Amino acid sequence: MKIKLSKSDIDGALVTQISKVSGEDFKQCYQCGNCSGGCPVSYAMDIPPSQIIRFLQLGRFELVMEANSMWVCVGCLQCYSRCPKGVSAANILEAARQLSLRKGTDHERIEDLPVSFLKTAPQQAIVCGFRKFVS
Amino acid sequence: MLKIPYYPGCTLSTVAKEFDTSAKDSAIKMGFEIEDLPQWNCCGATFPLTPDNIMGLTAPAKVLAGAEKAGDTLTTLCSVCYNVLKRTNRVLKDDKEKLSTVNEFMEEEYAGGVEVTHYLEVLRDQIGFTKVTEAVSRPLKGVKTAAYYGCMLLRPFEDMGIDRAEAPTIMEDLLKALGATPVFFPDRVECCGAHLAMDKPDIVSKLSGNVIDSAAREGAEIIVTSCPLCQYNLENTQAESGSALPIVYFTQILGLALGQDEKTLGFEKNKFSPLALLRYKELL
Amino acid sequence: MSRIGVFICQCGTNIADTVDTEKVAEEMKKIPGVVHTQDYKFMCSSPGQKMLKEAVKKHRLDGMIVSACSPHMHEKTFRRACESAGINPYMCEIANIREQCSWVHHDKTKETGTVKSLDLTRMTIERLKKNQPLKPNKIPVNKRALIIGGGIAGIQAALDIADGGREVLLVEKTPSIGGNMAKLSETFPTMDCSQCILTPKMVEAELHENITLMTYSEVEKIEGFIGNFRVTIRKKARYVNEELCTGCGDCWDKCPFKQDSEFEHGLKKRKVIYTPFPQSVPNIPVIDAPNCAMLQKGKCGVCAKVCGPKAVDFEQKDIVVEEKVGAIVVATGYDLMPNEHFGEYGYGRIKDVINGLQFERLASSSGPTGGKILRPSDGKEPQSIVFIQCAGSRDEKKGVSYCSKICCMYTAKHTMLYRHKVHDGQSYVFYMDIRSGGKRYEEFVRGAIEKDGAMYLRGRVSRVYEKDGKVIVQGADTLSDSQVEIEADMVVLATALVSRPGADTLAQKLGIGYDKHKFYNEYHPKLKPVETVTAGIFLAGTCLGPMDVPESVAQGSAAASKVLVLTSSDEMIKDPTTAIVNDFTCNACWDCVVACPYSAIEKTDIKDREGNVIRRLAHVNDGVCTGCGTCVAACRSKAIDLKGYTDEQVYAAINAF
Amino acid sequence: MSQENTEETQATETTETFEPKIMAFVCNWCTYAGADLAGTSRMEYRPNVRIIKLPCTGRIDPLFIIKAFENGADGVLVSGCHPGDCHYTAGNYHAKRRWIAFRSLMEFTGIDTRRLQFSWISASEALKWVDLINNVTDEIKALGPFMDFKNLKG
Ligand SMILES: Cc1cc2nc3c(=O)[nH]c(=O)nc-3n(C[C@H](O)[C@H](O)[C@H](O)COP(=O)(O)OP(=O)(O)OC[C@H]3O[C@@H](n4cnc5c(N)ncnc54)[C@H](O)[C@@H]3O)c2cc1C
Ligand SMILES: Cc1cc2nc3c(=O)[nH]c(=O)nc-3n(C[C@H](O)[C@H](O)[C@H](O)COP(=O)(O)OP(=O)(O)OC[C@H]3O[C@@H](n4cnc5c(N)ncnc54)[C@H](O)[C@@H]3O)c2cc1C
Ligand code: SF4
Ligand code: SF4
Ligand code: SF4
Ligand code: SF4
Ligand code: SF4
Ligand code: SF4
Ligand code: SF4
Ligand code: SF4
């Protein structure tokens, strides 16, 4: 990948917005990779958490929004708990989800879920899932 | 008798009823009572991770407002409820502005006067594990029991503070008090996959599978948890993979040790009941 | 040697458990020359030592063996006891029957330990028979010190030594002391202004009654050894009489010719008669002779005409002086790697690609732009600057293999200075690693990133080129796996620190070691960090390798303390274990001279009464010799021996085996 | 073991009961201190070695080694500071060069070079010292007594 980097990218509006929504300052992250190292699902992400933050540092908002990472993140807070800088990748991915959902596009539809799941699963799973995946 | 206001939450009122009843019955055996809040609503089952999402705080805030009327502490059992209520409470206590915004959306105002505790904390800090041991009539001698904490009971540490986030012992200490042999296994604070059960079952199988393998390798015979979603994910994964460790709520094991009739403990709902094992060990 | 006493220590039960000390004492009595033997519970205790002394008197001993713990433990104790009993301390030898016998052979029957103790004691006795009384060498110490190099390290060393009451001669090659630190704008990690903290020290050095400054001077030759060096110094002609000059500046105001200023790294011109910078110490100009119209072509002389006190002196010549000093501190500092190393970065070709010290000058309020960050090509304020770290460092192929250690820090500093001066400017830093070990250093770098918004990119820059008035930088960000291109207004290279040109020549004159990068070698990197293998010569600052100001200052002080220790007494006592040449058998093959790692052996001439050289001989300088014995093994004529470890002594021990 | 009774016993010795005599030339700063440390740490090793301490391996004259063999050594050990660690900066380099030359000389004179061993042992390598002594003792034991020089001296 080739990036042309300029001040307007780094301070881009969308990046600023995701920073505001998540409450996280991307500059804090020093790219140690602990979050990606501990994230139980980074193996299934298009872009692992630390690199998500890297792209945001570089102003590459669109890459973050295209990746599946935010939908795979399970919100376990492993990343945040162990981050030496107290940066929460979880918050950042949640913010990405929020920005996507707040546009009104749902990530999941209740109709698509298996009936067996809906019948047996603990309520909390369904409630939580809908909070994460539906606007 | 000491009465503590208690928030059951959706799942414990339905799918995980046995968690609720075993805890209530056990409490009585130990000389206290947990009492349902007269009125409650779903906590939302997820703490909003973006600070600008104030709406996400209103549901748990309502619970807290209700609890405030019942007393100054509120106890819970489900790890997720505990997490959501405790973190919300913290935010509202620390951020007066947020508190007043949230109050604008509620009929009853919350003043910030509730302390959220987990049933485990009640046992450890208010009752004391030695008292628990005294109440034990059926020690679980030699039962190798693994405590699975998962995420929500512990993280983030600065908000939850129930125990050390990476090396907790509260459940193992309880197990010891019950006469069981706690099994410390590496994956006990790793994630089970949680709500991904909804649309990414393969991820859940993998994560929960890791947890079970990790416990099994250390010789666990039973796994206990305090989260219905963990219980669900672990049990389902096992059903798929063909291993057969009983995965139960810690209160069910507690009930057994306190000598409750095993028929009241709801093991029939488990895919793999621990009763056969306990009988084999001549503990029943 | 006839009357030897042998004392066998039991060390409580430490020795006695596995060695039959009584038997050893008995057996040793049978050896010719041994007149007294005794075993005892604790030889090193006061009663034990008293016993030794009494035995010396009673049995009229002239040598003794103590079979006890390792000589590393109590050799000194027993030799002192000997001395106070009136025999030469070097007539006392230790047989190590504890660490190397009783403690490593656990045979409770005592058979093993006893047999070995017998052997060890006997070998030591035979050796002792060949011992000669030795006298520690006493070397007179000249209390003056020479400092070579007047950067911050040298200045610090000079001030500390001078404050300690010793005379100091500070020799600086350029017209002013101050070194590289004088060029810095503000300094990490506290961001205080470099001039503000350095100038007072420079002035103090100039005014200190114990310090003699010799600027515009160089050391040409060094002879002698610790405590007794003779140094030849060339004081280059300044063409200005230092006594008369008042530093008024009329001369350089009027001089019609200009040259690039070395101090400003070409960002500004200076006159042909000049001081390097306004705060120069001494504030006395020099004439840049090769460029002076008067000195080259005999036309001009403007400076001389305008000089009120008539200080300009075109007739001045270099002066060569010889000075005697007892100790030398070398603090000759560093240079930045020269430009030609950075073809792909366009240094020297693209005007807006500069190095770190040039940036310091741009940022300095006394610099060519008065502290405004303006790019050299068109004097415009750059809206974006790319900093390239490890330029030349950590580049085994084209540059140097080592890390220059301070460039991570000064680059972070530069981004801060830039942000403070150009508020909406964006800086980018390409780095391989960020090395900010040190008190408050990591926090400093994080401040540059988190507070001052420097964009750090993990990767090296591959090339830099010009396009439409912009400097295009092409590099990588390995963290995002991407190739990165930045259109910058200016590029600053965090150029490698290298040793001074000529560092090797100076080292050879001094007889000190240097590594392949021509940084000077410390005696021991951990335990003797400011000493050299040549006794009496110490090191400080960046001539040892890259380091920052705090470290350079610490080393200056450390070297000073070493000098003060050395000059604390009039004489130096040295261990008598030194080599000695037999004048009759030496055939002047110089094998020993080559072998000696300390250059302790001199080639000397034996002259007859008329002064004709009749013979040449090796001669060991006791002041320098460390007693390693390498020369002895090298000499094929067996003409050189090591006192305390003579061939005779060693063979005696072997023969007793 | 005094010289007399060594010779006495040797006559009747079989390889099993043969206890070799080993002479070690070591430098004062590294190996001697390492051997001391083995003692301080109460390690145990074979008792066959006798140490001669020298300031530096650079002091070791090849003739010392020959002399040791002449005097009944069945094996000789030379040990000093690791390259680069020499207390005297370079003494051990000189020593090394000398030994290399000496080894070929040994080969030439027909002495089994296994009887002469070189090693670098630092002041902290007590364990290495112990292993070295044990191994060398075993090896020399296997080679049997060294008779050539003794006979010569006879
Ligand atoms: C761009 C840049 C920024 C820096 N910023 C900082 C900072 O913010 N903070 C910090 O702590 N450090 C900083 N440093 C490092 C700092 O410059 C050095 O640590 C310090 O100047 C070293 O001092 P020194 O006395 O060892 O050497 P030098 O300053 O090099 O002094 C050596 C002196 O010896 C003289 N000399 C050389 N050879 C001879 C000879 N043969 N005879 C007589 N005299 C001789 C030289 O002329 C010179 O005056 C920076 C370095 C660079 C390159
Ligand atoms: C794992 C590790 C590996 C290392 N490896 C290396 C290496 O390979 N190379 C290297 O150069 N460095 C290494 N170091 C660094 C090295 O250990 C230190 O630089 C060095 O030991 C510091 O010595 P010191 O004298 O400053 O402090 P210390 O060694 O801590 O000594 C301080 C002494 O003061 C005593 N003391 C403390 N308070 C008081 C008091 N109030 N009154 C009286 N006495 C007191 C303490 O008991 C102690 O004996 C390593 C460090 C670590 C942790
Ligand atoms: S753990 Fe924290 S600092 Fe490290 S990469 Fe992740 S977010 Fe950045
Ligand atoms: S919260 Fe999300 S990103 Fe963080 S560790 Fe858990 S799954 Fe990974
Ligand atoms: S002299 Fe050495 S061996 Fe003897 S008692 Fe003292 S410490 Fe022990
Ligand atoms: S040389 Fe003369 S004119 Fe120049 S500074 Fe000195 S006194 Fe002034
Ligand atoms: S004589 Fe030389 S230094 Fe003086 S003014 Fe002329 S050119 Fe300048
Ligand atoms: S200090 Fe930093 S910039 Fe300088 S060479 Fe080392 S790693 Fe590179
Ligand atoms: S090696 Fe021996 S003979 Fe040769 S110069 Fe030195 S002392 Fe004289
Ligand atoms: S003993 Fe060592 S230092 Fe002394 S002269 Fe000989 S080789 Fe040089």
Side-chain angles (χ1 to χ4, degrees):
Chain A
M1 190 177 3
K2 177 152 182 168
I3 295 180
K4 278 201 166 180
L5 197 53
S6 71
K7 190 171 167 62
S8 59
D9 294 319
I10 300 171
D11 303 337
L14 292 168
V15 178
T16 313
Q17 192 188 5
I18 197 166
S19 167
K20 212 174 109 226
V21 172
S22 66
E24 298 296 329
D25 176 1
F26 308 137
K27 291 201 288 282
Q28 292 281 323
C29 164
Y30 50 42
Q31 288 290 303
C32 67
N34 193 339
C35 49
S36 299
C39 173
V41 292
S42 64
Y43 77 94
M45 289 179 173
D46 294 339
I47 303 175
S50 58
Q51 219 172 50
I52 288 278
I53 301 174
R54 184 62 185 159
F55 282 121
L56 293 170
Q57 288 175 334
L58 295 173
R60 289 312 196 275
F61 178 78
E62 68 296 347
L63 293 172
V64 170
M65 297 311 281
E66 281 159 18
N68 74 349
S69 309
M70 61 174 121
W71 307 115
V72 176
C73 166
V74 59
C76 68
L77 298 183
Q78 199 85 269
C79 49
Y80 168 64
S81 297
R82 293 175 187 165
C83 170
K85 291 288 283 177
V87 174
S88 176
N91 282 23
I92 292 163
L93 288 165
E94 171 117 332
R97 277 193 299 271
Q98 291 285 327
L99 290 187
S100 172
L101 296 174
R102 284 176 196 176
K103 289 211 185 88
T105 40
D106 293 347
H107 182 66
E108 289 294 345
R109 297 187 324 158
I110 195 154
E111 304 87 280
D112 298 341
L113 297 177
V115 181
S116 64
F117 173 77
L118 293 172
K119 270 197 179 147
T120 58
Q123 271 81 341
Q124 59 182 123
I126 301 166
V127 176
C128 174
F130 278 88
R131 288 243 169 161
K132 300 268 184 201
F133 298 147
V134 177
S135 60
Chain B
M1 201 185 288
L2 170 68
K3 274 191 188 164
I4 304 170
Y6 158 65
Y7 171 76
C10 321
T11 313
L12 269 71
S13 314
T14 53
V15 180
K17 193 68 196 159
E18 68 276 23
F19 194 4
D20 175 90
T21 46
S22 59
K24 281 180 175 151
D25 294 349
S26 299
I28 288 169
K29 287 241 170 194
M30 291 176 290
F32 71 103
E33 214 176 305
I34 56 172
E35 197 175 41
D36 287 13
L37 291 179
Q39 253 199 330
W40 56 267
N41 54 272
C42 172
C43 68
T46 162
F47 176 77
L49 292 176
T50 51
D52 78 334
N53 181 358
I54 292 181
M55 285 320 289
L57 299 174
T58 50
K62 268 189 196 155
V63 175
L64 293 167
E68 204 164 29
K69 285 197 285 179
D72 53 7
T73 51
L74 174 67
T75 191
T76 58
L77 278 160
C78 164
S79 301
V80 175
C81 302
Y82 173 60
N83 184 287
V84 174
L85 292 172
K86 194 156 186 179
R87 296 191 73 185
T88 304
N89 198 24
R90 173 92 177 229
V91 170
L92 297 180
K93 281 185 179 185
D94 289 354
D95 189 338
K96 294 289 165 237
E97 212 171 298
K98 269 198 180 141
L99 178 62
S100 74
T101 315
V102 166
N103 276 336
E104 281 167 25
F105 291 89
M106 306 197 299
E107 299 92 72
E108 317 241 1
E109 295 223 330
Y110 176 51
V114 171
E115 205 58 57
V116 177
T117 62
H118 192 270
Y119 189 87
L120 282 165
E121 287 174 293
V122 173
L123 294 188
R124 182 187 62 191
D125 305 332
Q126 279 178 270
I127 308 302
F129 286 144
T130 32
K131 276 271 168 51
V132 174
T133 306
E134 284 164 23
V136 167
S137 63
R138 209 191 268 150
L140 302 173
K141 221 169 152 290
V143 183
K144 292 191 192 146
T145 315
Y148 172 59
Y149 291 83
C151 314
M152 290 300 131
L153 195 57
L154 303 167
R155 287 194 284 269
F157 173 70
E158 63 273 25
D159 284 354
M160 306 311 294
I162 178 169
D163 204 343
R164 288 180 301 167
E166 302 288 351
T169 58
I170 187 166
M171 280 211 261
E172 285 86 353
D173 291 342
L174 173 64
L175 291 170
K176 272 189 222 156
L178 303 182
T181 309
V183 173
F184 290 84
F185 66 107
D187 282 14
R188 67 209 173 98
V189 303
E190 294 298 299
C191 177
C192 69
H195 64 272
L196 292 186
M198 194 159 126
D199 65 341
K200 296 175 190 72
D202 47 330
I203 292 183
V204 172
S205 305
K206 188 171 157 81
L207 302 194
S208 289
N210 290 344
V211 171
I212 292 161
D213 290 350
S214 166
R217 259 197 305 278
E218 301 300 322
E221 296 168 324
I222 298 180
I223 297 179
V224 297
T225 130
S226 90
C227 173
L229 185 47
C230 298
Q231 198 276 340
Y232 174 82
N233 282 341
L234 294 190
E235 200 164 65
N236 271 358
T237 302
Q238 281 216 106
E240 280 165 32
S241 69
S243 68
L245 280 179
I247 296 162
V248 300
Y249 298 110
F250 73 90
T251 51
Q252 290 174 287
I253 285 290
L254 172 66
L256 265 181
L258 296 177
Q260 286 181 45
D261 181 356
E262 62 265 26
K263 292 194 197 68
T264 68
L265 290 168
F267 290 120
E268 68 283 357
K269 287 176 73 183
N270 284 100
K271 284 198 173 119
F272 310 101
S273 159
L275 294 178
L277 171 82
L278 297 177
R279 283 202 190 92
Y280 171 76
K281 294 209 168 203
E282 298 180 351
L283 297 168
L284 282 179
Chain C
M1 158 88 38
S2 50
R3 306 195 61 83
I4 297 172
V6 180
F7 301 88
I8 322 289
C9 186
Q10 297 166 357
C11 197
T13 55
N14 277 297
I15 292 174
D17 260 1
T18 50
V19 174
D20 183 344
T21 51
E22 208 184 316
K23 179 165 180 212
V24 177
E26 249 166 55
E27 288 293 322
M28 291 304 113
K29 212 172 249 160
K30 300 178 189 156
I31 296 180
V34 175
V35 296
H36 174 70
T37 71
Q38 192 165 1
D39 68 323
Y40 183 68
K41 210 161 193 64
F42 297 110
M43 283 320 300
C44 60
S45 65
S46 308
Q49 291 189 52
K50 203 166 152 228
M51 200 182 80
L52 288 182
K53 289 181 217 167
E54 278 163 9
V56 169
K57 298 226 169 70
K58 193 165 160 214
H59 303 284
R60 289 174 292 112
L61 303 181
D62 53 12
M64 74 162 73
I65 300 291
V66 186
S67 291
C69 49
S70 168
H72 288 182
M73 184 95 187
H74 277 310
E75 187 177 71
K76 272 212 178 84
T77 314
F78 296 125
R79 286 192 167 167
R80 231 180 282 133
C82 265
E83 197 169 18
S84 67
I87 49 179
N88 184 286
Y90 295 90
M91 299 307 283
C92 168
E93 293 286 349
I94 312 294
N96 184 343
I97 61 165
R98 191 178 75 172
E99 280 82 349
Q100 295 181 5
C101 183
S102 77
W103 274 351
V104 288
H105 307 307
H106 305 176
D107 172 11
K108 287 284 174 201
T109 70
K110 304 195 186 181
E111 161 87 21
T112 315
T114 309
V115 167
K116 187 163 172 183
S117 296
L118 286 170
D119 276 3
L120 293 176
T121 309
R122 192 181 48 251
M123 285 163 69
T124 316
I125 294 172
E126 293 308 329
R127 180 187 200 286
L128 174 69
K129 289 185 185 165
K130 305 293 179 194
N131 274 24
Q132 294 291 329
L134 299 176
K135 264 215 301 280
N137 296 315
K138 286 191 181 155
I139 301 163
V141 175
N142 181 321
K143 300 199 173 195
R144 290 179 86 209
L146 166 75
I147 315 269
I148 309 176
I152 184 62
I155 293 173
Q156 183 67 36
L159 289 173
D160 284 353
I161 297 168
D163 285 345
R166 304 275 175 261
E167 272 180 47
V168 178
L169 185 61
L170 176 52
V171 173
E172 164 61 45
K173 189 165 67 174
T174 68
S176 169
I177 58 171
N180 280 306
M181 188 177 167
K183 298 175 193 163
L184 307 181
S185 51
E186 275 148 48
T187 50
F188 66 75
T190 47
M191 290 301 233
D192 28 19
C193 137
S194 183
Q195 285 292 353
C196 312
I197 54 177
L198 176 65
T199 311
K201 279 195 182 278
M202 289 163 59
V203 173
E204 201 187 332
E206 184 180 29
L207 301 179
H208 204 296
E209 56 174 13
N210 283 341
I211 299 179
T212 310
L213 284 190
M214 285 181 81
T215 52
Y216 216 41
S217 304
E218 269 187 272
V219 169
E220 294 215 315
K221 198 162 93 186
I222 290 143
E223 294 161 298
F225 55 95
I226 182 168
N228 304 274
F229 294 105
R230 291 185 310 281
V231 189
T232 312
I233 302 163
R234 173 177 297 269
K235 208 169 161 359
K236 286 175 279 186
R238 267 187 129 92
Y239 303 102
V240 172
N241 184 320
E242 290 178 63
E243 305 293 316
L244 299 176
C245 172
T246 61
C248 67
D250 290 347
C251 53
W252 66 79
D253 272 354
K254 296 282 151 33
C255 171
F257 300 101
K258 284 183 179 174
Q259 287 296 322
D260 276 347
S261 158
E262 296 84 359
F263 185 81
E264 302 291 354
H265 284 259
L267 292 173
K268 199 182 168 184
K269 301 275 181 199
R270 60 151 170 85
K271 293 292 177 62
V272 168
I273 183 165
Y274 70 105
T275 58
F277 54 104
Q279 302 87 341
S280 291
V281 167
N283 186 27
I284 293 166
V286 295
I287 292 180
D288 168 6
N291 292 304
C292 169
M294 184 69 192
L295 287 167
Q296 296 306 324
K297 298 181 197 130
K299 306 187 263 223
C300 184
V302 172
C303 51
K305 273 176 226 134
V306 298
C307 176
K310 299 285 164 238
V312 177
D313 173 7
F314 296 115
E315 302 303 315
Q316 214 179 56
K317 295 272 168 314
D318 288 5
I319 302 168
V320 177
V321 292
E322 194 186 276
E323 298 280 350
K324 292 201 165 105
V325 296
I328 300 174
V329 177
V330 186
T332 46
Y334 70 94
D335 246 330
L336 287 187
M337 184 178 273
N339 318 349
E340 52 267 27
H341 278 271
F342 310 106
E344 70 271 45
Y345 295 164
Y347 188 106
R349 200 157 25 87
I350 307 172
K351 272 193 164 170
D352 295 324
V353 177
I354 62 173
N355 70 22
L357 283 173
Q358 287 174 314
F359 189 87
E360 294 286 342
R361 295 314 300 149
L362 288 181
S364 167
S365 50
S366 61
T369 54
K372 288 209 179 75
I373 309 282
L374 302 173
R375 60 181 203 165
S377 63
D378 54 8
K380 286 203 188 115
E381 189 170 77
Q383 292 312 300
S384 62
I385 303 184
V386 171
F387 294 87
I388 302 178
Q389 289 197 172
C390 306
S393 306
R394 309 175 69 192
D395 180 344
E396 286 181 23
K397 202 166 127 224
K398 284 196 315 242
V400 294
S401 56
Y402 57 83
C403 160
S404 291
K405 196 171 169 184
I406 59 161
C407 11
C408 278
M409 285 301 290
Y410 75 60
T411 299
K413 174 181 76 173
H414 289 171
T415 70
M416 287 176 167
L417 292 171
Y418 175 50
R419 176 54 68 101
H420 299 169
K421 287 169 191 274
V422 182
H423 298 296
D424 50 1
Q426 178 66 49
S427 58
Y428 304 85
V429 178
F430 283 91
Y431 69 95
M432 288 168 69
D433 296 279
I434 305 176
R435 299 195 168 164
S436 48
K439 207 165 161 179
R440 295 194 294 274
Y441 283 16
E442 172 66 12
E443 294 87 334
F444 183 86
V445 175
R446 291 312 301 170
I449 296 170
E450 291 167 20
K451 287 205 208 72
D452 291 325
M455 179 74 223
Y456 271 63
L457 298 141
R458 211 231 75 103
R460 249 181 123 101
V461 168
S462 175
R463 71 178 183 131
V464 175
Y465 57 96
E466 270 179 310
K467 197 170 119 191
D468 308 333
K470 291 275 187 187
V471 191
I472 314 293
V473 179
Q474 191 186 316
D477 177 57
T478 60
L479 296 167
S480 61
D481 268 335
S482 19
Q483 197 178 51
V484 178
E485 193 181 289
I486 299 169
E487 287 188 1
D489 293 324
M490 194 166 125
V491 168
V492 181
L493 304 180
T495 321
L497 265 68
V498 296
S499 53
R500 295 258 176 202
D504 45 352
T505 328
L506 181 64
Q508 286 153 12
K509 284 180 197 161
L510 289 159
I512 61 176
Y514 51 92
D515 63 19
K516 66 174 176 186
H517 305 295
K518 296 179 190 155
F519 285 121
Y520 298 150
N521 284 342
E522 57 282 66
Y523 193 123
H524 188 284
K526 281 168 286 259
L527 301 179
K528 294 186 174 181
V530 297
E531 281 116 304
T532 67
V533 290
T534 304
I537 302 186
F538 306 98
L539 304 169
T542 43
C543 59
L544 277 146
M547 68 183 76
D548 56 19
V549 170
E551 238 184 305
S552 304
V553 169
Q555 289 208 332
S557 289
S561 83
K562 291 286 165 193
V563 170
L564 290 173
V565 169
L566 171 61
T567 56
S568 62
S569 51
D570 303 328
E571 280 185 331
M572 221 175 46
I573 311 282
K574 267 197 81 225
D575 195 89
T577 312
T578 52
I580 183 163
V581 176
N582 181 332
D583 290 357
F584 297 103
T585 47
C586 171
N587 61 19
C589 68
W590 311 137
D591 280 352
C592 58
V593 178
V594 176
C596 175
Y598 296 91
S599 316
I601 310 180
E602 292 148 14
K603 304 172 185 173
T604 53
D605 298 335
I606 307 284
K607 294 177 187 162
D608 64 12
R609 263 178 236 144
E610 275 85 58
N612 304 314
V613 177
I614 44 170
R615 256 190 85 199
R616 305 201 74 200
L617 270 185
H619 173 78
V620 177
N621 186 329
D622 281 347
V624 185
C625 173
T626 61
C628 67
T630 306
C631 53
V632 183
C635 175
R636 274 170 286 197
S637 331
K638 298 270 152 262
I640 190 164
D641 213 343
L642 184 64
K643 287 185 266 177
Y645 291 92
T646 59
D647 276 353
E648 257 201 317
Q649 286 171 296
V650 178
Y651 286 128
I654 299 174
N655 286 336
F657 169 59
Chain D
M1 261 180 261
S2 76
Q3 224 154 321
E4 294 82 353
N5 66 40
T6 318
E7 271 158 27
E8 238 172 53
T9 42
Q10 245 174 33
T12 56
E13 252 164 7
T14 69
T15 12
E16 266 109 84
T17 56
F18 161 63
E19 281 298 335
K21 291 176 55 164
I22 297 163
M23 169 125 285
F25 296 102
V26 308
C27 82
N28 181 34
W29 304 99
C30 292
T31 307
Y32 195 86
D36 271 359
L37 183 63
T40 323
S41 324
R42 307 297 196 277
M43 295 171 175
E44 192 168 15
Y45 54 83
R46 306 248 201 292
N48 308 53
V49 68
R50 304 289 178 266
I51 287 184
I52 289 187
K53 174 168 75 101
L54 295 163
C56 174
T57 42
R59 171 70 183 93
I60 297 169
D61 190 325
L63 289 177
F64 293 172
I65 298 166
I66 303 213
K67 203 72 179 171
F69 280 124
E70 255 179 40
N71 273 287
D74 302 296
V76 171
L77 197 65
V78 172
S79 178
C81 312
H82 284 266
D85 268 3
C86 177
H87 182 82
Y88 302 101
T89 62
N92 57 358
Y93 283 116
H94 288 279
K96 195 179 168 193
R97 263 192 285 150
R98 237 175 264 142
W99 303 336
I100 291 169
F102 182 66
R103 232 194 153 100
S104 27
L105 182 81
M106 264 182 76
E107 257 166 58
F108 179 75
T109 52
I111 307 177
D112 190 331
T113 49
R114 285 174 295 175
R115 292 193 184 273
L116 175 61
Q117 304 236 4
F118 302 114
S119 172
W120 315 113
I121 290 176
S122 77
S124 63
E125 292 175 322
L127 205 60
K128 191 171 169 195
W129 169 256
V130 169
D131 287 346
L132 177 73
I133 300 307
N134 289 342
N135 292 339
V136 168
T137 309
D138 290 349
E139 262 180 60
I140 306 286
K141 209 169 181 170
L143 288 176
F146 176 64
M147 298 308 293
D148 313 8
F149 275 29
K150 281 171 211 161
N151 296 344
L152 262 178
K153 211 190 173 199

